[in-house]
Amino acid sequence: MRLSHSRSERETVDIALVVPRSGPAGLFGPSCEACAALAVEDVNRAGGILGRPVRLHTVDSGAPLPHLARRIDHMIGTGAIDGVVGWHLSNARRVLTPRTAGRVPYVYTTFYEGGENSDGVYMVGETPEHQLFPALRWLRSERGIRRWAVVGNDYVWPRETARVTRESAAACGIDIVGETYVPLGGRRFGPALDLIRDSSAQAVLLFLVGADCAAFNRAFAAAGLDEHRLRLSMMIGEDVLYAGGPDSTRGLFTASGYFESVVSAAAMDFGGRYTARYGPFAPALNNIGESCYEGLLLFASLAEAARSLDVRDIERRAARVRYDGPRGEVKIRGAHTTQPVYLADTDGVDFRVVSELRRA
């Protein structure tokens, strides 16, 4: 009771922003932090959350998982934070949810493998049914791509997403003809390149993280495998394109709920404000960083709809939540947001939207 009371009397709403500052995903950290800071400025300018200004406490999700879990548990237990928001890998989410469940609201902003139902957790990110499977169907219909090889990092998101893809292959009109995994931070891509070269795959489905994805794309292009095979990468932003270089992006696609190149008033306004706030040398604006902006808007909207930061109060009123963000109007269905999803290909080191995807 004392900790809850101390939270209610604090003059700020304190949120742990859990984003990568190290490891293969650390490439995304600067954009995540910049977008989150912009969200806090916007929320505070509008009156904060429940009349209190928001304050962020950035936590490195690239830290060893036991250390990350202990830190968040301590922050919640001592009353230092009112909630958790962030973009981080699924292995980090899985150690955090036992610490947050039923205690504080947790907004997870990453596209992920699906299936999360922990108490008080809300998801901004797309699941395979909304993002990956429509992209596979579009590439089957429009480009005739049926046979895929899978290359992923060796942890929960790639393996679980590959599993549900295999289970849904017939409905997507595709075949998985090869599958291999490399450790996070690994650079031994020879076996993966050989598997692709020796297979009948017309395209490669990439479940690689950040810097690992950029390194693989360079190796893929250097091996000449981009001459006749497409790639669909599911964790990639403009910063990964820059890291890989323009020679590594031929035939590279991705799917997301946000691209800076989406022609909409909301997206263009957000991109303009981001550039005005941070200048021409800002961290690359991408779907991953933007999801942290969305996550903080969602956290604020949930609390305002409930008039409370209590997990139970928020759960009772979450279905009422509506807000307008860079992705347009966002609603809550269960614990997930609903939003448009787009398919994009690459033009050098930029993404170019080619279609809005439809769920079957």
Side-chain angles (χ1 to χ4, degrees):
M1 289 294 294
R2 180 172 176 77
L3 292 179
S4 177
H5 184 63
S6 67
R7 286 194 185 101
S8 67
E9 288 190 344
R10 191 166 51 225
E11 294 182 354
T12 55
V13 171
D14 288 65
I15 299 173
L17 178 70
V18 184
V19 295
R21 285 180 156 179
S22 59
L27 195 65
F28 303 129
S31 177
C32 289
E33 293 190 54
C35 289
L38 186 58
V40 167
E41 291 175 6
D42 289 348
V43 169
N44 286 343
R45 190 179 301 114
I49 295 176
L50 305 178
R52 295 151 55 188
V54 176
R55 182 168 59 180
L56 295 180
H57 304 264
T58 304
V59 177
D60 180 16
S61 65
L65 296 179
H67 173 80
L68 175 62
R70 285 194 299 270
R71 183 167 182 194
I72 293 298
D73 188 59
H74 177 75
M75 294 174 83
I76 296 171
T78 58
I81 57 172
D82 300 287
V84 175
V85 174
W87 188 101
H88 37 271
L89 304 185
S90 288
N91 54 0
R93 185 192 80 248
R94 287 194 170 190
V95 303
L96 293 185
T97 50
R99 275 73 183 180
T100 65
R103 300 170 74 191
V104 297
Y106 173 11
V107 176
Y108 184 60
T109 75
T110 318
F111 41 83
Y112 80 114
E113 65 278 3
E116 178 59 66
N117 59 3
S118 299
D119 191 12
V121 181
Y122 296 88
M123 274 68 67
V124 169
E126 306 86 349
T127 58
E129 292 83 0
H130 295 90
Q131 177 198 31
L132 173 57
F133 299 165
L136 292 171
R137 287 191 294 268
W138 190 94
L139 288 165
R140 173 73 175 92
S141 172
E142 301 298 324
R143 296 296 184 91
I145 303 298
R146 182 180 183 87
R147 298 184 303 278
W148 292 83
V150 173
V151 179
N153 284 120
D154 191 6
Y155 77 101
V156 59
W157 169 65
R159 287 194 174 273
E160 284 297 300
T161 307
R163 179 185 63 79
V164 298
T165 303
R166 288 193 303 273
E167 292 173 354
S168 301
C172 294
I174 65 165
D175 296 316
I176 304 298
V177 300
E179 191 172 335
T180 189
Y181 297 89
V182 297
L184 283 163
R187 292 294 182 272
R188 293 187 65 250
F189 297 129
L193 298 174
D194 289 342
L195 180 148
I196 296 164
R197 185 183 294 108
D198 296 340
S199 77
S200 62
Q202 300 166 283
V204 184
L205 182 52
L206 296 181
F207 301 131
L208 293 167
V209 174
D212 292 359
C213 186
F216 178 84
N217 284 336
R218 290 195 298 271
F220 185 88
L225 293 174
D226 61 341
E227 293 180 10
H228 304 294
R229 295 173 178 87
L230 300 182
R231 282 160 290 165
L232 176 61
S233 179
M234 303 312 295
M235 186 182 290
I236 193 168
E238 283 81 350
D239 33 18
V240 175
L241 301 185
Y242 296 150
D247 292 339
S248 73
T249 65
R250 178 168 59 171
L252 179 61
F253 288 77
T254 191
S256 176
Y258 172 83
F259 292 100
E260 189 177 4
S261 57
V262 171
V263 181
S264 72
M268 295 171 68
D269 175 71
F270 180 70
R273 292 194 301 111
Y274 183 90
T275 301
R277 173 65 177 81
Y278 295 112
F281 301 107
L285 178 57
N286 55 53
N287 62 82
I288 293 165
E290 187 274 341
S291 76
C292 292
Y293 183 95
E294 296 281 348
L296 285 157
L297 260 60
L298 176 58
F299 187 100
S301 298
L302 289 165
E304 289 293 335
R307 300 307 302 161
S308 170
L309 290 163
D310 182 85
V311 170
R312 295 285 170 264
D313 294 337
I314 289 173
E315 181 181 12
R316 285 192 289 269
R317 295 169 176 82
R320 303 178 184 179
V321 167
R322 306 281 192 281
Y323 72 86
D324 291 317
R327 303 184 185 201
E329 184 184 40
V330 175
K331 303 176 184 178
I332 291 285
R333 180 178 298 167
H336 291 78
T337 60
T338 63
Q339 57 194 281
V341 177
Y342 305 93
L343 182 71
D345 66 6
T346 48
D347 179 14
V349 291
D350 294 305
F351 287 116
R352 176 177 52 199
V353 173
V354 296
S355 181
E356 181 176 344
L357 298 173
R358 304 293 181 184
R359 183 177 180 179

PDB file of all heavy atoms in Angstrom, residues 13 26 41 53 67 95 109 119 193 223 248 262 283 294 310 340 345 348:
ATOM      1  N   VAL A  13       4.436  11.403 -13.783  1.00  0.00           N
ATOM      2  CA  VAL A  13       4.192  10.014 -14.174  1.00  0.00           C
ATOM      3  C   VAL A  13       5.507   9.499 -14.753  1.00  0.00           C
ATOM      4  O   VAL A  13       6.012  10.020 -15.750  1.00  0.00           O
ATOM      5  CB  VAL A  13       3.066   9.907 -15.225  1.00  0.00           C
ATOM      6  CG1 VAL A  13       2.985   8.488 -15.769  1.00  0.00           C
ATOM      7  CG2 VAL A  13       1.741  10.322 -14.614  1.00  0.00           C
ATOM      8  N   GLY A  26      21.060  -2.545 -30.962  1.00  0.00           N
ATOM      9  CA  GLY A  26      21.453  -1.213 -30.516  1.00  0.00           C
ATOM     10  C   GLY A  26      21.427  -0.178 -31.616  1.00  0.00           C
ATOM     11  O   GLY A  26      21.328   1.032 -31.353  1.00  0.00           O
ATOM     12  N   GLU A  41       7.288  15.222 -25.105  1.00  0.00           N
ATOM     13  CA  GLU A  41       7.061  16.658 -25.294  1.00  0.00           C
ATOM     14  C   GLU A  41       5.622  16.920 -25.719  1.00  0.00           C
ATOM     15  O   GLU A  41       4.966  17.844 -25.207  1.00  0.00           O
ATOM     16  CB  GLU A  41       8.039  17.208 -26.334  1.00  0.00           C
ATOM     17  CG  GLU A  41       9.487  17.232 -25.863  1.00  0.00           C
ATOM     18  CD  GLU A  41      10.435  17.673 -26.959  1.00  0.00           C
ATOM     19  OE1 GLU A  41       9.957  18.065 -28.054  1.00  0.00           O
ATOM     20  OE2 GLU A  41      11.655  17.630 -26.728  1.00  0.00           O
ATOM     21  N   PRO A  53       3.061  15.793 -15.483  1.00  0.00           N
ATOM     22  CA  PRO A  53       4.028  15.650 -16.569  1.00  0.00           C
ATOM     23  C   PRO A  53       4.667  14.268 -16.567  1.00  0.00           C
ATOM     24  O   PRO A  53       4.823  13.637 -15.517  1.00  0.00           O
ATOM     25  CB  PRO A  53       5.068  16.741 -16.282  1.00  0.00           C
ATOM     26  CG  PRO A  53       4.945  17.021 -14.825  1.00  0.00           C
ATOM     27  CD  PRO A  53       3.504  16.796 -14.478  1.00  0.00           C
ATOM     28  N   HIS A  67      19.807  -9.333 -15.578  1.00  0.00           N
ATOM     29  CA  HIS A  67      20.019  -7.970 -15.059  1.00  0.00           C
ATOM     30  C   HIS A  67      18.840  -7.079 -15.421  1.00  0.00           C
ATOM     31  O   HIS A  67      18.353  -6.300 -14.585  1.00  0.00           O
ATOM     32  CB  HIS A  67      21.313  -7.400 -15.639  1.00  0.00           C
ATOM     33  CG  HIS A  67      21.536  -5.961 -15.316  1.00  0.00           C
ATOM     34  ND1 HIS A  67      22.037  -5.526 -14.103  1.00  0.00           N
ATOM     35  CD2 HIS A  67      21.300  -4.822 -16.039  1.00  0.00           C
ATOM     36  CE1 HIS A  67      22.118  -4.205 -14.097  1.00  0.00           C
ATOM     37  NE2 HIS A  67      21.665  -3.756 -15.262  1.00  0.00           N
ATOM     38  N   VAL A  95      11.069 -11.952 -20.204  1.00  0.00           N
ATOM     39  CA  VAL A  95      11.556 -11.858 -18.819  1.00  0.00           C
ATOM     40  C   VAL A  95      10.935 -10.686 -18.078  1.00  0.00           C
ATOM     41  O   VAL A  95      10.957 -10.646 -16.842  1.00  0.00           O
ATOM     42  CB  VAL A  95      13.102 -11.785 -18.743  1.00  0.00           C
ATOM     43  CG1 VAL A  95      13.735 -12.976 -19.428  1.00  0.00           C
ATOM     44  CG2 VAL A  95      13.646 -10.474 -19.268  1.00  0.00           C
ATOM     45  N   THR A 109       6.002  -2.200 -27.975  1.00  0.00           N
ATOM     46  CA  THR A 109       5.776  -1.517 -29.249  1.00  0.00           C
ATOM     47  C   THR A 109       6.257  -2.299 -30.461  1.00  0.00           C
ATOM     48  O   THR A 109       6.056  -1.866 -31.590  1.00  0.00           O
ATOM     49  CB  THR A 109       6.453  -0.131 -29.255  1.00  0.00           C
ATOM     50  OG1 THR A 109       7.869  -0.275 -29.413  1.00  0.00           O
ATOM     51  CG2 THR A 109       6.150   0.644 -27.982  1.00  0.00           C
ATOM     52  N   ASP A 119      -1.104 -10.098 -18.101  1.00  0.00           N
ATOM     53  CA  ASP A 119      -1.984  -9.126 -17.464  1.00  0.00           C
ATOM     54  C   ASP A 119      -1.388  -7.722 -17.541  1.00  0.00           C
ATOM     55  O   ASP A 119      -0.282  -7.472 -17.063  1.00  0.00           O
ATOM     56  CB  ASP A 119      -2.168  -9.546 -15.996  1.00  0.00           C
ATOM     57  CG  ASP A 119      -3.264  -8.776 -15.299  1.00  0.00           C
ATOM     58  OD1 ASP A 119      -4.038  -8.077 -15.981  1.00  0.00           O
ATOM     59  OD2 ASP A 119      -3.354  -8.878 -14.057  1.00  0.00           O
ATOM     60  N   LEU A 193      24.259 -18.850 -46.598  1.00  0.00           N
ATOM     61  CA  LEU A 193      24.376 -18.510 -48.014  1.00  0.00           C
ATOM     62  C   LEU A 193      24.416 -19.772 -48.871  1.00  0.00           C
ATOM     63  O   LEU A 193      23.810 -19.817 -49.957  1.00  0.00           O
ATOM     64  CB  LEU A 193      25.616 -17.657 -48.237  1.00  0.00           C
ATOM     65  CG  LEU A 193      25.633 -16.297 -47.519  1.00  0.00           C
ATOM     66  CD1 LEU A 193      26.983 -15.614 -47.713  1.00  0.00           C
ATOM     67  CD2 LEU A 193      24.511 -15.393 -47.998  1.00  0.00           C
ATOM     68  N   ALA A 223      27.799 -12.187 -52.434  1.00  0.00           N
ATOM     69  CA  ALA A 223      27.760 -13.537 -52.994  1.00  0.00           C
ATOM     70  C   ALA A 223      26.978 -13.605 -54.299  1.00  0.00           C
ATOM     71  O   ALA A 223      26.881 -14.681 -54.914  1.00  0.00           O
ATOM     72  CB  ALA A 223      27.154 -14.497 -51.970  1.00  0.00           C
ATOM     73  N   SER A 248      23.581  -3.233 -51.069  1.00  0.00           N
ATOM     74  CA  SER A 248      23.074  -4.445 -50.410  1.00  0.00           C
ATOM     75  C   SER A 248      21.553  -4.526 -50.412  1.00  0.00           C
ATOM     76  O   SER A 248      20.994  -5.451 -49.813  1.00  0.00           O
ATOM     77  CB  SER A 248      23.568  -4.498 -48.960  1.00  0.00           C
ATOM     78  OG  SER A 248      22.902  -3.543 -48.154  1.00  0.00           O
ATOM     79  N   VAL A 262       5.001   7.106 -46.364  1.00  0.00           N
ATOM     80  CA  VAL A 262       3.549   6.996 -46.516  1.00  0.00           C
ATOM     81  C   VAL A 262       2.973   8.394 -46.792  1.00  0.00           C
ATOM     82  O   VAL A 262       3.269   9.351 -46.067  1.00  0.00           O
ATOM     83  CB  VAL A 262       2.897   6.385 -45.261  1.00  0.00           C
ATOM     84  CG1 VAL A 262       1.376   6.490 -45.334  1.00  0.00           C
ATOM     85  CG2 VAL A 262       3.308   4.925 -45.108  1.00  0.00           C
ATOM     86  N   PRO A 283      18.942  10.933 -35.724  1.00  0.00           N
ATOM     87  CA  PRO A 283      18.897   9.489 -35.992  1.00  0.00           C
ATOM     88  C   PRO A 283      17.863   9.189 -37.070  1.00  0.00           C
ATOM     89  O   PRO A 283      16.817   9.847 -37.142  1.00  0.00           O
ATOM     90  CB  PRO A 283      18.469   8.893 -34.641  1.00  0.00           C
ATOM     91  CG  PRO A 283      18.874   9.916 -33.626  1.00  0.00           C
ATOM     92  CD  PRO A 283      18.713  11.251 -34.304  1.00  0.00           C
ATOM     93  N   GLU A 294       4.344   5.941 -30.774  1.00  0.00           N
ATOM     94  CA  GLU A 294       3.003   5.367 -30.674  1.00  0.00           C
ATOM     95  C   GLU A 294       2.770   4.747 -29.296  1.00  0.00           C
ATOM     96  O   GLU A 294       1.683   4.879 -28.719  1.00  0.00           O
ATOM     97  CB  GLU A 294       2.809   4.289 -31.742  1.00  0.00           C
ATOM     98  CG  GLU A 294       2.855   4.780 -33.172  1.00  0.00           C
ATOM     99  CD  GLU A 294       1.561   5.436 -33.631  1.00  0.00           C
ATOM    100  OE1 GLU A 294       0.535   5.321 -32.923  1.00  0.00           O
ATOM    101  OE2 GLU A 294       1.582   6.055 -34.711  1.00  0.00           O
ATOM    102  N   ASP A 310      -3.917   2.349 -12.692  1.00  0.00           N
ATOM    103  CA  ASP A 310      -4.091   1.003 -12.171  1.00  0.00           C
ATOM    104  C   ASP A 310      -4.401   0.034 -13.314  1.00  0.00           C
ATOM    105  O   ASP A 310      -5.246   0.312 -14.174  1.00  0.00           O
ATOM    106  CB  ASP A 310      -5.225   0.986 -11.147  1.00  0.00           C
ATOM    107  CG  ASP A 310      -5.417  -0.377 -10.530  1.00  0.00           C
ATOM    108  OD1 ASP A 310      -4.711  -0.691  -9.555  1.00  0.00           O
ATOM    109  OD2 ASP A 310      -6.257  -1.141 -11.048  1.00  0.00           O
ATOM    110  N   PRO A 340      -3.367   0.382 -40.306  1.00  0.00           N
ATOM    111  CA  PRO A 340      -2.976  -0.068 -41.646  1.00  0.00           C
ATOM    112  C   PRO A 340      -1.573  -0.663 -41.609  1.00  0.00           C
ATOM    113  O   PRO A 340      -0.755  -0.323 -40.749  1.00  0.00           O
ATOM    114  CB  PRO A 340      -2.996   1.227 -42.475  1.00  0.00           C
ATOM    115  CG  PRO A 340      -3.718   2.233 -41.650  1.00  0.00           C
ATOM    116  CD  PRO A 340      -3.531   1.834 -40.225  1.00  0.00           C
ATOM    117  N   ASP A 345       9.354  -1.608 -50.869  1.00  0.00           N
ATOM    118  CA  ASP A 345      10.641  -2.085 -51.358  1.00  0.00           C
ATOM    119  C   ASP A 345      11.671  -0.986 -51.126  1.00  0.00           C
ATOM    120  O   ASP A 345      11.359   0.050 -50.517  1.00  0.00           O
ATOM    121  CB  ASP A 345      10.567  -2.524 -52.827  1.00  0.00           C
ATOM    122  CG  ASP A 345      10.279  -1.371 -53.787  1.00  0.00           C
ATOM    123  OD1 ASP A 345      10.232  -0.197 -53.356  1.00  0.00           O
ATOM    124  OD2 ASP A 345      10.094  -1.647 -54.985  1.00  0.00           O
ATOM    125  N   GLY A 348      17.698   2.334 -53.015  1.00  0.00           N
ATOM    126  CA  GLY A 348      18.954   2.719 -52.393  1.00  0.00           C
ATOM    127  C   GLY A 348      18.883   2.513 -50.889  1.00  0.00           C
ATOM    128  O   GLY A 348      18.824   1.383 -50.413  1.00  0.00           O
TER     129      GLY A 348
END
